Amino acid sequence: MIDAGEGRRQAVEELILLIRELSRRFKYGIQLPEGLSLMDGWFLRMLADGTPKSAGALARHFGVSQSYVTNWAERLVRRGLVRRERSALDRRIVYLALTEAGRRAVDNLEAERRRLAEALFGNVTDEELWALADLLRRMLGRLDGGSADRLPSGRS
């Protein structure tokens, strides 16, 4: 545990509780279409750039097994949100892509994310947002062995 005064320990505990609550509210604050999970939304967003992706590529991105992605995709195929496409170069390779209904679902999810972001950050200045992002990046970097260089940054 942190070897510091009582005030610092209390502040750390308060931050842990606030981060947990923020995560919970973000997770449950987005209105999802009936039957879709938040992870389904992440899966659909990965396909939203219009480039079909293999189950292997998605599995690596999410840190899950390829069979998990295959089962996951099957549910979304049955719902008409994702389609399978065979590679023109190698018919053994199957790619996953959004259907038009899947595109609409992603558009709705993005609108929900914007709504929630406005509710969370609407009265926060740009400077405060960047300060919070920098602080969180440093904290995550410490968990990754002290380097925040591998973490994404939206600053240009």
Side-chain angles (χ1 to χ4, degrees):
M1 187 65 184
I2 297 172
D3 188 25
E6 185 61 26
R8 183 173 177 90
R9 277 192 288 279
Q10 287 177 345
V12 167
E13 290 302 319
E14 177 78 5
L15 283 171
I16 289 169
L17 291 173
L18 289 170
I19 290 168
R20 183 181 303 142
E21 181 63 15
L22 185 62
S23 176
R24 186 188 72 75
R25 288 190 189 196
F26 193 81
K27 179 178 180 181
Y28 297 110
I30 292 181
Q31 301 297 313
L32 295 166
E34 184 67 32
L36 282 186
S37 71
L38 195 56
M39 284 304 293
D40 291 336
W42 287 114
F43 184 89
L44 293 171
R45 285 186 76 228
M46 280 298 298
L47 298 175
D49 68 1
T51 304
K53 313 253 183 326
S54 69
L58 290 165
R60 284 187 297 281
H61 177 80
F62 287 112
V64 296
S65 69
Q66 192 165 334
S67 63
Y68 184 84
V69 170
T70 300
N71 290 331
W72 197 0
E74 181 58 34
R75 284 188 315 103
L76 296 175
V77 166
R78 282 196 306 267
R79 289 200 60 175
L81 301 173
V82 171
R83 70 177 181 278
R84 292 185 180 90
E85 298 177 354
R86 292 233 175 245
S87 167
L89 300 175
D90 185 342
R91 303 293 295 161
R92 295 171 296 174
I93 299 174
V94 177
Y95 292 104
L96 301 167
L98 286 181
T99 63
E100 190 55 41
R103 165 59 55 203
R104 286 191 303 275
V106 168
D107 291 344
N108 291 337
L109 287 170
E110 289 303 311
E112 274 295 304
R113 282 177 43 120
R114 286 189 300 275
R115 181 195 60 77
L116 185 57
E118 178 60 30
L120 286 170
F121 305 116
N123 65 346
V124 179
T125 68
D126 289 357
E127 184 177 291
E128 290 169 326
L129 286 173
W130 284 117
L132 178 59
D134 289 341
L135 176 61
L136 292 172
R137 191 174 296 101
R138 283 193 353 241
M139 291 167 66
L140 289 169
R142 286 188 50 88
L143 294 176
D144 290 340
S147 173
D149 297 339
R150 293 180 298 228
L151 297 171
S153 175
R155 280 197 199 192
S156 11

